Amino acid sequence: MRQSQAAVLERYRVLEGEFATEPYEAGWATEARWFVQVLRASAPDVKVVLTTQVSPDGLHWCDAECPPQVAEGEGMISWPVREFGQWLRIRGSVEGDEGSVKVQIYLTLKE
């Protein structure tokens, strides 16, 4: 039987400028999917640029081989990640004049 797991990495967190989520160890999984829900944006032109990062040890990071994702306004976006090694996190930035967003970030994993 295949294993699966869902983790909430950020719950109702307000983000401004540059940020990174806590790392998550996922070496047992063969596939992952990020879900980022923007609950509130400080202005209509605010967007969040999100980059999946991978790490062999949870300390040293590089961008994964998937394109950055962009969340504009309120709502949810999602994207898959495969062949990621041991650790995952999101590095991102909130763009827009003095912009901020309130988010929830989930990571789902499958064997």
Side-chain angles (χ1 to χ4, degrees):
M1 186 163 136
R2 293 181 71 180
Q3 300 290 319
S4 65
Q5 181 177 353
V8 180
L9 275 75
E10 303 293 349
R11 178 170 285 166
Y12 306 117
R13 181 174 172 196
V14 176
L15 302 172
E16 299 174 322
E18 306 268 327
F19 67 91
T21 64
E22 289 294 318
Y24 201 84
E25 189 171 13
W28 61 270
T30 57
E31 58 187 88
R33 179 170 280 276
W34 288 106
F35 293 88
V36 177
Q37 182 180 19
V38 177
L39 301 167
R40 188 191 63 213
S42 62
D45 65 335
V46 172
K47 65 181 179 179
V48 188
V49 179
L50 305 149
T51 302
T52 301
Q53 290 195 310
V54 294
S55 170
D57 57 10
L59 300 172
H60 304 93
W61 296 90
C62 65
D63 294 350
E65 299 166 334
C66 54
Q69 305 294 312
V70 179
E72 298 185 61
E74 297 174 2
M76 183 179 287
I77 64 168
S78 177
W79 65 96
V81 183
R82 296 185 69 90
E83 301 171 354
F84 46 81
Q86 191 68 17
W87 292 82
L88 289 168
R89 78 173 184 182
I90 291 176
R91 177 183 55 80
S93 63
V94 179
E95 298 179 358
D97 191 30
E98 297 184 32
S100 68
V101 292
K102 185 176 191 178
V103 300
Q104 296 193 116
I105 299 177
Y106 307 89
L107 176 62
T108 60
L109 304 163
K110 267 200 288 194
E111 184 176 41

